[in-house]
Amino acid sequence: MDFISTRIITADVARLVGFYEHVTGVRAAWANEDFAELRTATGTLAIGGVPTVALFAPDSARPAENRSVIVEFLVDDVDATFKGLPEEADVVNEPKTMPWGNRSLLVRDPDGNLVNFFTPVTDAARQRFGR
């Protein structure tokens, strides 16, 4: 089994895709107006509109209601990422070094989903991520 992607359901696909394109520097590949993917070397963030939910099971997912998942991006310089955040990013905590050796920045995207940008800063953390 291979882990392929995480999907966020939103009521405004274009807005959310624009946010993630801005913060990641990755251009989305659009399948149609209700589905786009931001592909990186190690994983994909898929963004689907509300109409896509019914294809799986009606009302099985609702936009802007997540309070249990954090989407995480490994970045070269978390402080530079912080400085380049778009205005609509809701900063939960500014960059700080965590006990496990990552310097982390936690924000909420326009739908309120938590997003962690981090850079390994200790030798042990760098080894875990091959950096």
Side-chain angles (χ1 to χ4, degrees):
M1 178 183 303
D2 292 324
F3 181 79
I4 298 299
S5 71
T6 297
R7 183 178 311 192
I8 298 173
I9 299 299
T10 183
D12 190 339
V13 177
R15 177 188 67 164
L16 207 57
V17 167
F19 172 84
Y20 281 101
E21 284 182 329
H22 182 106
V23 298
T24 64
V26 175
R27 298 285 301 163
W30 288 82
N32 58 48
E33 66 184 14
D34 283 321
F35 188 81
E37 295 177 319
L38 289 94
R39 300 177 187 131
T40 74
T42 56
T44 298
L45 178 62
I47 299 174
V50 173
T52 67
V53 175
L55 300 171
F56 292 99
D59 203 34
S60 59
R62 288 183 219 102
E65 291 191 16
N66 172 46
R67 291 290 188 219
S68 63
V69 174
I70 302 173
V71 177
E72 297 188 298
F73 293 96
L74 174 63
V75 298
D76 290 332
D77 183 345
V78 74
D79 293 288
T81 299
F82 175 61
K83 290 177 185 169
L85 285 176
E87 191 174 295
E88 66 268 25
D90 177 16
V91 177
V92 176
N93 73 266
E94 294 185 8
K96 67 179 180 181
T97 302
M98 305 307 251
W100 47 89
N102 294 334
R103 187 153 172 79
S104 294
L105 161 67
L106 192 64
V107 304
R108 288 195 185 277
D109 71 16
D111 277 6
N113 301 299
L114 284 170
V115 184
N116 180 40
F117 299 97
F118 72 95
T119 302
V121 294
T122 65
D123 289 339
R126 285 188 204 100
Q127 276 188 326
R128 277 196 311 275
F129 296 102
R131 296 245 169 157

